[in-house]
Every structure is written in structure tokens, then in C-alpha cells.
Amino acid sequence: MAQKRLSMRKISQILRLHHELGLTSRQIGCSCGVARPTVEKYLSRASAAGLGWPLPEGMDEQQLYERLFPEATTGRGGSRPLPDMGYIHRELRRRHVTRQLLWEEYRQAYPEGYGYTQFCEHYNRWKASLDVTLRQQHVAGEKTFLDWAGTPAWWMDRACGHWCPGYLFVGVLGASDYLFATVLADQQLLSWIEAHIRMVEFMGGVTALWVPDNAKTGVTKPCYYEPEIHPTYQELADHYGVAILPTRTYAPRDKAKAENAVLHAERRILGTLRNRQFFSLGELDAAVQEGAKAINARPFQKLPGTRQTLFAQLDQPVLRRLPVHRYEPGEWGHASVNIDYHVQVDYHAYSVPYRLTQERVEIRLSARTVEIYHSGRRVALHVRSRQRGGFTTDPAHRPKAHQKHLEWTPGRLVDWAATIGPECAAAVRTLLAQKPHPEQGYRACLGLLRLARSYGPERMEGACRRAVALDVCTYRSLAAILKARLDEEPLPETPAAGATAPAHHDNLRGPAYYRATAPVSDNGKENGSC
């Protein structure tokens, strides 16, 4: 490994002790904490460079090094130029390219160049100058940093005897480092939303910004300039009046607060729970939240107070109030409206206004409701049904023709006919009873309505009386009766109940006639002869 250079302060001390006090190299090394050969090397180089004590006024550390180590001066015609660090940095990103390979190529170009150790040392210094970190100052009540922990906790399901994971969600406030932790069954969208709801209720308010990473549950399309937020996550933020500010991709330092909080939670919570056994997710979550409270109550190592006291002083007074109603999670999706003006959602059909047939709509599905949107405007709201294969229809969504058709029922048709008269009601009852299904007679009944408007109720009553009496209750028969004005003629007399045919009449042949006369076949023989 390359020897580390001494600081300018140490070199100045060596020169002062040598020239002013006349100490030996061993004594100077013991006083400065430097090895004797190193002291001798620096004294020799200073003598060769014409440097004594005190050093020239205004000389900085770089100028001192250039005087002591002139062979290390690069880019000024020196015999050992430094390699192109930008080229080395780019090449190391390629597969199968190593520092050893690049050093060998460098030595082929410059045989008197640096050795491998110095080559790597110079590159590491150059790279460190690129990897600078911005010290972020967080305003109270401004940001909440969010992340999932990489290590799950485990609990035993007694029903099946299997170990089940519990995924740790962590949220931390930027100003006070106040920490919230909870566990959920998975890392899917609804769990992500539920974790946020628990967090804001735990903190009693919300900050102005949420800073997550680019997980698919929150950000559907990462982009440095305009990231695309998942609709449900955006709806949650709108409900609580929060803006979402995702970090850059592959930039964990953008949410260093969350990274440190996750590490702290894994060590202080999951680490302390490693020997405990849990038999439900709720039991595990309760233990995790107790661990988070312990972290918030733990005194800082280098600052006075705790996260809890700092939260009460900084963040809590400026948090935004929670809305009156708790956010109800919902899933968003898209669907096309069928020709029956219904959309299929979770194996159930829900109606939309018939004008949207064949249109593309957005669907928000919650635990209790189904909301349907078109062009950003809600066009339908239904109570969610769990019936698979069923239909939920709002009558207002139907066309007027469909509404009128469905308004007719057997009872309503009979009631309408009764407004004309009892005979008309009897005719309608008879007409509907003649059909295998009452709906098959709806059109005929509506035809009677048209006849009543054309001929008036009195004639309609007469026509219905005749049709019932003659058992010809059909639309065609009633139309013919009215057209021929048969409704104005008296009904034919019917035999009285219990009447029998006369025993003898001139036109009746009687049984004796048939006994006397036997039928004759075509060949002249009586029927039945051999």
C-alpha cells in the first residue's frame, strides 16, 4: 500500500524541531509520532529543495508538496504523468475490465509510470472527489421518508402450521427523526396504502411531502422529471393533501433518512424480537409498534433529548390536520362498456349511462362501493356486490324505451285496464293467462291500450264483454269486433245452466234409425259381413 504523506503541520513541526532545537531524528520522531526513517526522508528532501525554517511566507500545502516531491508533478512535463482518470472510470464500468488490466495498458504507454499501488491510490483519490454528499437541512413538518425493510419478520400460523412473513414498513420525519413502524402481510398496493393510513393516524397529522422510492406500488413509471404516480396512491395523497416526491432511481442518498431508519428498526426492533414467537400478524405488529415507541423514547447519543421530545417541539405543532373521514382504499382499473351498457368488475356487471356504450371507462373498486369514471368525471356509483355473474342496474341508466318496457308488469297492466272498466280488466287477465309467460302478452295488452284510445272506453268495454263471452280474448279478435261494430250488437243467448236436450224432436233420428239402417260398403256388401 502506498505510504501516506504527512500533513503540512507535521512537516513544519519536523523542520522547526530540527532547525530551532537541534533535536536528533529519533527525538523528533518520538515527539511527532513519526518513524525515524520518515523524519530523515523529509529532512533530506527539504534540504535538497532549499527549505529551512521558517517556511516561506504564503506557502500552502500543495506548493510545499511540489517542492518536496517534484517528480510527482503531473501535466507539466513530468516524467511520470498520471493516467486519464475519466477514461479509467468509464472503462471500469464495462464487463471483464479490471484495474490490473488498465494499469498494464498504462505501463505499456508509460514504462516509467506509476506502480500498481500508486496507480490505484491516485484513482481512489480522484473518485472520492466525485462522490461528494449534500448535507440536507430538513424543515419541520415538510417531509416524511418512507420505505420497506429488506428483512421480513416471521409468525407461525397455527391453522396450517406454516411460517408466514410479515413485511416491515418504516416512515420517519425529516426534522425530528420520529419513527413509525408496522408490519403487513405483503408489499402489494393495498398494504402500501394501509401502511400510510396507519402512519398518519399514529403521528396525528401529515407533512407536506411524502418521499418514497420508485417501488411499483407507488410509482408506475419512474422518471426524473415527471414520475407517473399510481392512481390509488395519488388519490390517497389528494385525500390527505400531501404531495408525492419520489427519489431518483438508484439514488439511496436521496432518502438517507429512510435508509437509516430502516437499519435502526431492523437492529432495534427485529433484532430484539428474534427469540420471540408470534402466532398472528396482529400480535407481531403490536410488538413492532412497541419497539418503535422504545426507539422514539431512547435518548440521542450526541444530542440532548429523544425523538419523542424533538417531535413534540418541531414537527407536531406544524403537521397538517387529518381529514374528518378516514381514507377508504380502492383499486383502479379500466374497462370497456358492453352493448348492454354494463361493465364487468370482479365477476359482476354494473350499469353506466347507456350513452357510454362501447366507451372506455375508469373503475375505482373499494370494499363497499364501485365508482365508474369517464373523462375524469364520475358517471356511476353502485354498492359493491359479491354475487358472481350477477347484475346491478340503475334504472336511470337505461334508455327511455327500455325503461317503459320494464315498467309494464302483469299487475300494472290489469290496474290500467281497470281504469277503463271491469270488462277490459277481465279481458287483460284472460289474455295474460293464455300465455306460457306473462311477458309474452305485454305487447297485446299495449295494443288494447291503443284500441281504447281510438274507440273510446264505452266501445272498448262492449268489445271486451263480447270477447270474454265468446272466449276470443286476443288483440286481433278485439280489433275485428270494434272494426265490425259487433260490440254494439246484443250478445247471443246462451243455454241456461243445467238445461238438457229434448227427448224427441222431428229432426232427431234417434237410435232406432241407426239400428234399422246399416251402412253399405262400396262392393255392395254390408259392413261386418264375411
Side-chain angles (χ1 to χ4, degrees):
M1 182 176 179
Q3 184 177 4
K4 188 176 181 180
R5 292 178 178 178
L6 298 181
S7 66
M8 185 175 183
R9 182 185 62 81
K10 188 81 71 173
I11 297 173
S12 300
Q13 188 177 3
I14 291 173
L15 294 176
R16 183 182 65 82
L17 294 176
H18 176 72
H19 289 284
E20 283 190 355
L21 301 180
L23 300 181
T24 65
S25 298
R26 188 177 298 279
Q27 291 172 329
I28 295 173
C30 293
S31 177
C32 298
V34 180
R36 180 183 56 81
T38 303
V39 173
E40 294 176 349
K41 183 183 73 171
Y42 274 90
L43 289 175
S44 175
R45 285 183 173 273
S47 177
L51 295 175
W53 182 259
L55 292 173
E57 186 178 355
M59 177 177 284
D60 60 15
E61 192 168 12
Q62 182 63 32
Q63 293 172 346
L64 177 61
Y65 284 146
E66 291 177 357
R67 293 280 297 274
L68 295 175
F69 303 96
E71 71 278 4
T73 304
T74 59
R76 301 174 187 174
S79 60
R80 295 205 303 176
L82 284 173
D84 185 351
M85 296 301 178
Y87 168 77
I88 294 175
H89 190 64
R90 290 191 301 271
E91 290 299 305
L92 285 175
R93 294 184 178 183
R94 301 173 63 177
R95 295 184 62 185
H96 312 305
V97 177
T98 63
R99 292 187 182 190
Q100 180 72 27
L101 174 62
L102 295 174
W103 173 75
E104 292 174 358
E105 294 176 352
Y106 161 73
R107 288 300 295 265
Q108 289 177 2
Y110 302 99
E112 301 298 327
Y114 288 101
Y116 179 73
T117 302
Q118 285 290 337
F119 175 87
C120 295
E121 181 70 20
H122 283 295
Y123 172 71
N124 290 336
R125 291 177 185 173
W126 179 86
K127 184 179 179 182
S129 66
L130 300 179
D131 197 17
V132 295
T133 303
L134 174 65
R135 183 73 178 184
Q136 301 184 46
Q137 297 293 330
H138 299 293
V139 180
E142 182 185 32
K143 293 181 180 179
T144 304
F145 296 87
L146 316 158
D147 201 3
W148 291 104
T151 305
W154 296 89
W155 59 278
M156 170 66 75
D157 188 349
R158 287 177 172 174
C160 61
H162 293 162
W163 287 96
C164 303
Y167 296 93
L168 181 65
F169 172 89
V170 176
V172 60
L173 297 179
S176 63
D177 283 339
Y178 192 61
L179 184 139
F180 167 78
T182 186
V183 290
L184 296 108
D186 53 51
Q187 296 184 7
Q188 300 303 315
L189 175 63
L190 292 183
S191 296
W192 175 255
I193 299 299
E194 178 64 24
H196 282 68
I197 297 173
R198 294 182 188 179
M199 179 185 67
V200 298
E201 291 177 351
F202 171 80
M203 295 181 176
V206 293
T207 56
L209 292 170
W210 284 340
V211 184
D213 57 10
N214 289 275
K216 283 292 185 181
T217 50
V219 182
T220 56
K221 187 176 181 181
C223 177
Y224 178 77
Y225 302 101
E226 292 182 349
E228 186 175 327
I229 308 300
H230 193 284
T232 304
Y233 191 31
Q234 185 62 57
E235 184 183 54
L236 172 73
D238 294 341
H239 180 82
Y240 289 109
V242 183
I244 300 174
L245 185 65
T247 61
R248 296 171 297 171
T249 55
Y250 306 106
R253 285 179 179 173
D254 286 4
K255 56 179 181 66
K257 286 277 185 179
E259 298 290 338
N260 291 334
V262 166
L263 181 63
H264 210 58
E266 288 178 337
R267 291 176 176 176
R268 293 288 180 183
I269 299 177
L270 299 186
T272 58
L273 299 178
R274 68 188 186 280
N275 295 325
R276 291 180 57 182
Q277 197 170 36
F278 303 94
F279 297 99
S280 71
L281 187 63
E283 184 182 353
L284 174 61
D285 183 53
V288 167
Q289 295 195 30
E290 287 297 323
K293 291 179 182 178
I295 291 176
N296 291 328
R298 185 183 181 86
F300 289 119
Q301 291 182 351
K302 299 180 180 181
L303 295 174
T306 64
R307 288 177 172 82
Q308 181 69 51
T309 58
L310 204 58
F311 169 72
Q313 294 171 7
L314 297 178
D315 284 312
Q316 191 173 29
V318 294
L319 289 179
R320 301 182 181 185
R321 289 186 177 182
L322 298 178
V324 178
H325 301 289
R326 193 174 193 259
Y327 176 74
E328 184 178 359
E331 297 183 63
W332 285 85
H334 295 81
S336 295
V337 183
N338 293 325
I339 60 173
D340 62 352
Y341 45 90
H342 284 71
V343 293
Q344 194 79 11
V345 181
D346 193 22
Y347 305 102
H348 191 90
Y350 298 89
S351 67
V352 300
Y354 71 94
R355 296 182 184 86
L356 298 178
T357 299
Q358 304 291 346
E359 293 288 336
R360 191 79 172 166
V361 294
E362 290 183 296
I363 301 169
R364 182 183 183 275
L365 183 65
S366 68
R368 293 186 296 241
T369 60
V370 176
E371 299 174 80
I372 303 172
Y373 292 81
H374 180 259
S375 300
R377 184 174 62 90
R378 191 173 73 180
V379 296
L381 173 63
H382 299 281
V383 176
R384 184 172 180 178
S385 174
R386 304 292 178 177
Q387 180 186 2
R388 295 171 68 94
F391 288 83
T392 298
T393 307
D394 186 345
H397 293 162
R398 294 188 175 106
K400 289 186 177 180
H402 292 193
Q403 295 178 25
K404 291 181 178 179
H405 173 77
L406 294 177
E407 285 175 357
W408 294 109
T409 62
R412 189 165 182 265
L413 289 169
V414 173
D415 293 340
W416 160 79
T419 61
I420 299 175
E423 299 294 341
C424 186
V428 168
R429 287 195 197 93
T430 305
L431 192 152
L432 294 174
Q434 292 174 350
K435 303 295 183 181
H437 193 280
E439 193 170 344
Q440 293 177 321
Y442 285 2
R443 291 187 181 181
C445 294
L446 294 177
L448 300 188
L449 173 61
R450 186 181 67 81
L451 292 175
R453 290 175 180 173
S454 301
Y455 293 98
E458 292 184 2
R459 293 196 58 189
M460 190 66 188
E461 275 289 282
C464 289
R465 186 181 304 110
R466 175 176 288 270
V468 171
L470 300 178
D471 195 18
V472 288
C473 289
T474 63
Y475 168 77
R476 292 178 179 272
S477 298
L478 284 164
I481 291 172
L482 290 169
K483 185 176 182 180
R485 306 186 73 89
L486 297 178
D487 56 291
E488 298 175 351
E489 297 183 2
L491 290 173
E493 294 183 2
T494 56
T500 58
H504 176 75
H505 191 272
D506 294 338
N507 294 332
L508 294 178
R509 298 178 183 179
Y513 173 79
Y514 292 98
R515 286 197 299 266
T517 308
V520 179
S521 62
D522 294 338
N523 56 7
K525 296 182 178 180
E526 292 184 359
N527 289 335
S529 58
C530 296

